[in-house]
Amino acid sequence: MDADVTDADVIIAGAGPTGLMLAGELRLGGAEVIVLETLERPTGQSRGLGFTARALESFDQRGLVPRFGGLETSPMGHFGGVQFDFTALEDAHFGARGIPQSRTEAVLEEWALELGTDIRRGWELLDLSQDADGVTVTADTPDGERRLRARYLVGADGGHSLVRRTAGFSFPGTDATRGMYLADVVGCAIPPRFLGERVPAGMVMAAPLAEGVDRIIVCEHGAPPADRSTTPDFAEVAAAWKRLTGEDISGGSADWVSSFTDATRQASEYRRGRVLLAGDAAHIHLPAGGQGLSTGVQDAVNLGWKLAAVVRGWAPDGLLDTYHGERHPAGERLLANTLAQGTVFLGGAESEPLRALFAGLIELDPVKRFLAGVVSHLDVHYDLGEGGHPLLGRRLPPRVLTTASGPVGTPTLLHSAQGLVLDLADDPGVREAAAGWKDRVSLVTGVPQDPDAFAGAPAMLVRPDGYVAWAGADPAELGEALHRWFGTPA
């Protein structure tokens, strides 16, 4: 293959939520994208059943929320099985519940295709190599072995990522200490245990998934981690359920059976040259509160506009390196909080003192606010410099502005995935400072309907991922921030 010929700006391995979200983000940024997916068609199976408050905000920033139909959120959530009210933190809730991952993938695939993404199903990645100018991949396709070339490759191909292994990323962490079963059971009545129930020999969870279908999770103390290369038999799950609960569900059957563990690992780096990782390819952990899917979506939203800026040629120096610099610490916090939840929730008698102490601490409002921020991901804070406005490096909260065209919500202003300058004090100096970047940054003048919104900032620069890159009143400072994040003006 001619190394000077490319098939796309970016190839993405994997058409799960992370890969599809990234494809849409890249297309909004003007990049040509090919997604390679081993499966010829979606399985319809759903390990995840919802997403966090911040992931919901990310979908809202792209106008995707109506596509999910009616979404239900709950003010009540939990940390390690200990229930508490997430609304102790402003804007927080326990995420969107009851949304099968298959539905999320369908919504994102439809969106990515509408934006012009080339999704190739039945293409199994076999090998890759990179050089100074791009990445060449080899794939097994329905028409035989094929080679493709792109300027960049992103591995969004899950916890067993071939991209991660082949490109030489290290993946340190801890091996599994316990194994768990998951099954969607039909043909028998199972009493609900929505938050999970600790029983003498382990933990069980059950919740209705659809009419006549119950999702169960079984964690038996002392059970070795299951061999992830084989699919468990329903008889194994039913036997474990009976040992733990005394209930016989063997007369039913399962639409789907799977297993998972508490193995916890994170790639040491999210970028090696022209190969990057996102989602489960970059971090694996114990499932807790829909955080895995949601973190992958946020990886994609952080990476997409930056990588598109690079391939379009306007990215300032070092922009792509901020992906690892920002998302790796977020991944570390994810692994820490899921490990802590596993210790509190799944530990045996040795964890009882910890659970008792934790139940007392969670009654305190500062603890509620801290943990709600951790699990909802609303507390993500990127290090964008010392001092400055309290919103610097934090998400732009969803608020309504009164503009000359009428009221508008801040998420709507981010639908195009451009940068955003908010002129909140009708300052011509702010508008003049932003004028040179109008090809990649939108400018909106308006007044917050809530006078306390945005902690009194008279103007803000918001990145396409919805994080505040600057807040203040000095047009010269705004110009510096625009140069830092959006390069040389046109």
Side-chain angles (χ1 to χ4, degrees), residues 171-196:
F171 201 44
T174 58
D175 292 333
T177 63
R178 55 172 62 92
M180 286 155 274
Y181 293 118
L182 178 153
D184 293 341
V185 183
V186 296
C188 60
I190 302 177
R193 298 169 172 90
F194 292 104
L195 284 179

Side-chain angles (χ1 to χ4, degrees), residues 371-398:
L371 294 177
V374 166
V375 178
S376 68
H377 300 167
L378 296 184
D379 73 339
V380 170
H381 180 206
Y382 300 140
D383 182 6
L384 303 188
E386 296 295 328
H389 192 272
L391 281 179
L392 182 65
R394 298 187 182 276
R395 66 187 244 289
L396 177 71

Side-chain angles (χ1 to χ4, degrees), residues 352-362:
E352 288 297 342
L354 176 61
R355 282 194 285 267
L357 177 64
F358 189 76
L361 286 173
I362 212 166

Side-chain angles (χ1 to χ4, degrees), residues 103-119:
R103 176 62 180 153
T104 302
E105 290 179 1
V107 166
L108 295 178
E109 182 165 355
E110 178 184 60
W111 175 62
L113 288 170
E114 288 173 4
L115 292 172
T117 302
D118 181 354
I119 300 177

